[in-house]
Structure formats: C-alpha cells, structure tokens
Amino acid sequence: MKKLAVLSLLAVLGACSKANAEKPDGAENYVLKCAGCHNPGPGHPGTMLLKQLGRPVPALIGRKDLELDYLKAVVRQGLIEMPPFRPTELSDDEIAEIYAYIKDANPPVQTPAMPAKKAP
C-alpha cells in the first residue's frame, strides 16, 4: 500500500514539474523581460533615456537593423542602465526567439500623449 502511495505521489509531482510546463515563446518573453523598459512612451526607462539624450527613440519591435550577435552581447553584458541577464534568466535560445519576434512583429503605433498644437 505504501509503495502505491509513493508511486502515485511521484506521478503527480512528475505531471506538475516545470519541465512539463509550456515555456514562453519569443513574444511572451519579450513582454516579460523587455517591454517594461523598451516599449515606447512614458514609464519605459530604456526609451526615456534616449529621449532625454536627444536621440531617436526607436521601438525594438519591428527593427530591421539589429543583429542577433549584438542583441546577445547587450543582453549578456548589459548596456548603460540595462543590467545583464544570466543564461539562467534568458537562455541563448530564448534570446534568439525574442530576436525573431522583434524582427517579424509590427512596430507599435506611437501616438503623442497630447495632440500637437496647430500653428496660428
């Protein structure tokens, strides 16, 4: 009887293990790990800093000028205020999936918070 209970418990734990859980794809990982800083607009430090420096503020989504090796280097080493991500936080495969999402997705529509004033 005890063996049956132990085997049942192991079967239940195996079914609930993280290895069997569905892992996030590139789009989900972008939202979880990148969007908070890199989406355009107020409250996103990665784009606000560029705007403060007077530089163009391109959204990451839809960028065609990024290369995978550059993205991996920035993710692993960090850049300016961006902290580095360890391989345990984002694997190379997950970075490649995020890269594919960034390249293929349509850039977000960027609308100003307030309409521009018309010239008199």
Side-chain angles (χ1 to χ4, degrees), residues 1-31:
M1 183 70 173
K2 286 184 182 180
K3 286 184 182 180
L4 181 61
V6 169
L7 288 175
S8 297
L9 180 61
L10 287 175
V12 169
L13 290 175
C16 295
S17 73
K18 192 173 183 178
N20 291 336
E22 201 173 306
K23 70 175 198 127
D25 64 6
E28 291 170 312
N29 270 327
Y30 176 84
V31 170

Side-chain angles (χ1 to χ4, degrees), residues 92-116:
D92 286 346
D93 289 341
E94 290 171 323
I95 294 170
E97 290 171 356
I98 291 170
Y99 174 77
Y101 171 70
I102 287 171
K103 297 284 277 188
D104 294 339
N106 291 326
V109 176
Q110 298 184 35
T111 56
M114 295 175 50

Side-chain angles (χ1 to χ4, degrees), residues 68-115:
L68 179 57
D69 289 338
Y70 175 75
L71 183 64
K72 279 185 183 178
V74 170
V75 169
R76 290 286 175 247
Q77 298 169 17
L79 183 65
I80 306 173
E81 293 185 16
M82 179 179 160
F85 284 79
R86 298 180 200 98
T88 54
E89 296 170 301
L90 274 176
S91 70
D92 286 346
D93 289 341
E94 290 171 323
I95 294 170
E97 290 171 356
I98 291 170
Y99 174 77
Y101 171 70
I102 287 171
K103 297 284 277 188
D104 294 339
N106 291 326
V109 176
Q110 298 184 35
T111 56
M114 295 175 50

